RNA sequence: GCGCCCGUAGCUCAGCUGGAUAGAGUACUUGGCUACGAACUAAGGUGUCGGAGGUUCGAAUCCUUCCGGGCGCGCCA
């Protein structure tokens, strides 16, 4: 509807230009929007006011010219000039009836568009380090990423969903060392756990499995293990040096093969848990991309070489630096440390280079807001390699603060004190969690009151929407029990019988869905869809409460049943995008 | 100190690329089921849109500057 109106206005405008009534340097595209107030019609445009200055005419006069030039259309039954120069459009009932028919023709495709057609997008989200279970902060990125990916697909983009697995690097070594030490403890060694190790209970679990399956394969006397290792912080030493020393000892004492086994067991156990969590949460991926693979196949080296080729790498204090300041970053960044190890940043440059090499037009990364300072340097690397930095779009998700008993829950992966995503899901349910996460703008800080979510879970807005959907199914079940059936064909032909205000409102809401979905996709804002579905549910509920659907009059009955079934389809389509189920009864 | 995000009703938040009287949910009060599910609905009031300037036909929205909160500023990831 909206695009049809835009076309009409643009046609009128170009006609005015062609016949010389108006002289404009540029033809702006028409801005049409839904009216807030019903008395202003269905749609309005501010075109006349926008053009007034350029056309050197007053807005209302210009509006009249536009209306005179407006092509005839079955869509519009009435127009008016209002206020400072708005043009209001009243849409015909027949046009709304057409929309209802379209819902059934297009079914699960109703609302989809092609604005993103031809664009290949690689979306990366969550990508949490596999050093522990996912917590509630990751959950937000997961829900937001999955919903945005669906949104883009619905808008015609070709989307590839990816999880970047940080399976290389020091954090993974610390994890392996943590598991090994717990394992040694289970073997009977008296281990003092390093202050910088991962202390969560899940480390014990992995160690226990290792011990059960491999017995003493990896055992070494603790005295040997600590030989030459710098003291830990509580003993007056340095916790970083201490843990690095232990990692070094693990490598030496176990040898490459056995060390890899411990490392691999830890990675597999944790990554397996993450995969399971996300799968159950309805967050899917097309690919799990390994950071280590970028090391193994030389992609990282190639990336560095490429930057050396453009003269953007220099050596200082034994390290290799990328001159990111030449591309807008605040300071230059190290890519290879003086000890020869590549930084996380180096593999990230390689990863993004690899994404482009795989042929994607756009990369959309969803990061926690604490990584925002990272954006300029990655963009800088893309620029240096001759790529358009805007091919990378980073969407930042603010952390969700958890409140329990009125107090903020402090969370830290290292200390193992956090509320896991799994716990949250068990407490509030997958549907409620998914919906709650995308109900707010991603860049908005969000307070998640656990007690409230648990004790009043039935008041969660998701049930409001699901209930509206289930109610429609309930009506259809009632119909059947009364020995009647729904004639969709007759219902579509009888839409003119739906003259109640509630019916009009519901039709308007249904007709709004396609433009809403498109806007939400373009702005990467699934919360718009969440709010829309709540509005739609409200329309359905008020209609339900004020009118009876299963009435004697057969034509009217079918018209009403057709209308609510169109709404049912929109509920299903919208909830599916958000990853929330649409139960037929609850 | 520098950079990014945020500040809207008592609380949690919307407000679509500047638009017509700034809206929901929640909380509080009072109504609505012998009718398709009351997890619903109807009515009731609340705002210096953090403050102050500026841009213009028009600002919660854009610009500047303060105030307040969050985050980031490593040869960590």
């Amino acid at each position: 509807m909206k695009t049809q109106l835009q076309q009409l206005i643009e046609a009128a405008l170009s006609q005015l230009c062609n016949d010389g009534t108006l002289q404009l340097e540029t033809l702006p595209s028409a801005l049409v929007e839904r009216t807030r107030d019903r008395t202003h019609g269905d749609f309005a445009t501010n075109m006349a006011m926008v053009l007034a200055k350029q056309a050197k005419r007053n807005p209302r006069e210009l509006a009249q010219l536009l209306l005179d030039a407006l092509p005839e259309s079955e869509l519009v039954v009435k127009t008016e000039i209002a206020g400072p120069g708005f043009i209001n459009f009243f849409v015909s009932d027949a046009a709304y009836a057409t929309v209802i028919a379209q819902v059934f023709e297009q079914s699960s495709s109703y609302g989809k568009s092609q604005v993103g057609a031809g664009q290949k997008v690689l979306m990366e989200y969550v990508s949490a380090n596999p050093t522990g279970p996912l917590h509630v902060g990751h959950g937000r990125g997961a829900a937001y990423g999955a919903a945005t990916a669906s949104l883009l697909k619905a808008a015609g983009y070709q989307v590839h969903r990816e999880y970047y697995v940080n399976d290389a690097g020091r954090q993974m070594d610390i994890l392996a060392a943590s598991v090994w030490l717990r394992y040694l403890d289970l073997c009977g060694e008296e281990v003092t756990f390093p202050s910088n190790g991962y202390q969560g209970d899940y480390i014990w679990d992995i160690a226990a499995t290792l011990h059960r399956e491999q017995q003493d394969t990896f055992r070494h006397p603790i005295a040997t293990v600590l030989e030459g290792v710098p003291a830990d912080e509580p003993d007056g030493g340095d916790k970083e040096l201490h843990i690095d020393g232990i990692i070094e000892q693990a490598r030496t004492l176990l040898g490459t093969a056995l060390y890899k086994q411990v490392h691999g067991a830890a990675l597999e156990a944790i990554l397996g848990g993450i995969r399971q969590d996300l799968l159950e949460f309805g967050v899917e991926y097309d690919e799990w991309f390994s950071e280590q693979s970028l090391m193994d196949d030389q992609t990282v080296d190639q990336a560095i070489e490429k930057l050396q080729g453009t003269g953007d790498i220099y050596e200082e204090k034994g390290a290799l630096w990328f001159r990111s300041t030449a591309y807008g970053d605040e300071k230059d960044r190290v890519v290879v440390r003086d000890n020869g190890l590549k930084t996380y940043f180096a593999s990230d440059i390689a990863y993004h280079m690899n994404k482009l090499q795989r042929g994607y037009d756009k990369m959309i990364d969803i990061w926690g807001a604490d990584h925002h300072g990272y954006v300029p340097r990655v963009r800088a690397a893309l620029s240096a390699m001759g790529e358009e930095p805007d091919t990378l779009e980073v969407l930042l998700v603010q952390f969700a603060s958890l409140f329990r008993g009125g107090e903020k829950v402090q969370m830290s992966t290292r200390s193992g004190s956090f509320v896991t995503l799994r716990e949250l899901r068990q407490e509030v349910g997958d549907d409620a969690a998914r919906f709650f996460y995308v109900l707010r703008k991603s860049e908005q800080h969000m307070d998640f009151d656990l007690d409230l979510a648990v004790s009043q879970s039935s008041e969660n807005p998701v049930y409001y929407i699901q209930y509206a959907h289930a109610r429609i199914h309930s009506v259809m079940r009632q119909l059947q029990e009364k020995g009647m059936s729904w004639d969709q064909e007759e219902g579509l032909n009888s839409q003119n019988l739906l003259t109640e205000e509630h019916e009009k409102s519901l039709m308007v809401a249904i007709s709004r869905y396609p433009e809403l979905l498109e806007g939400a996709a373009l702005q990467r804002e699934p919360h718009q869809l969440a709010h829309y579905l709540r509005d739609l549910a409200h329309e359905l509920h008020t209609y339900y409460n004020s009118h009876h659907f299963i009435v004697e009059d057969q034509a009217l009955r079918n018209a009403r049943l057709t209308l609510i079934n169109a709404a049912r389809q929109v509920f299903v389509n919208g909830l599916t995008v958000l990853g929330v189920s649409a139960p037929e009864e609850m």
Side-chain angles (χ1 to χ4, degrees), chain A residues 122-127 145 160-164 285 344 348 351-352 355 363-367:
Chain A
L122 194 153
M123 276 201 70
E124 182 209 328
Y125 44 97
V126 186
S127 297
H160 185 78
R161 302 162 300 180
E162 199 157 288
Y163 188 115
Y164 182 54
Y285 287 94
Y344 174 84
D348 224 23
Y351 180 39
H352 285 88
K355 286 180 181 177
M363 305 176 280
I364 297 181
D365 291 5
I366 293 177
W367 294 351

Side-chain angles (χ1 to χ4, degrees), chain A residues 291-324:
Chain A
E291 178 188 5
Q292 186 63 48
S293 75
L294 292 170
M295 305 279 190
D296 296 344
D297 68 7
Q298 319 294 310
T299 308
V300 180
D301 295 325
Q302 287 165 16
I304 294 172
E305 281 165 25
K306 190 161 183 178
L307 292 175
Q308 273 169 333
T310 60
D312 291 308
I313 297 284
Y314 62 92
E315 193 175 339
E316 191 177 300
K317 287 186 258 178
L320 287 186
W321 297 69
F322 166 52
R323 201 185 312 279
S324 54

Side-chain angles (χ1 to χ4, degrees), chain A residues 424-472:
Chain A
L424 177 75
R425 288 174 39 228
Q426 284 165 353
E427 283 183 15
V428 308
D430 286 335
D431 283 340
R434 284 288 299 259
F435 192 82
F436 196 92
Y437 272 132
V438 298
L439 192 55
R440 283 83 199 270
K441 278 198 303 207
S442 65
E443 64 263 38
Q444 181 75 249
H445 297 96
M446 122 184 200
D447 291 344
F448 201 128
D449 190 327
L450 274 176
D451 301 319
L452 191 76
V454 176
S455 66
Q456 304 187 351
S457 62
S458 68
E459 290 180 15
N460 192 301
V462 73
Y463 295 106
Y464 182 74
I465 298 166
Q466 289 180 323
Y467 182 43
H469 173 264
R471 258 186 159 173
I472 297 168

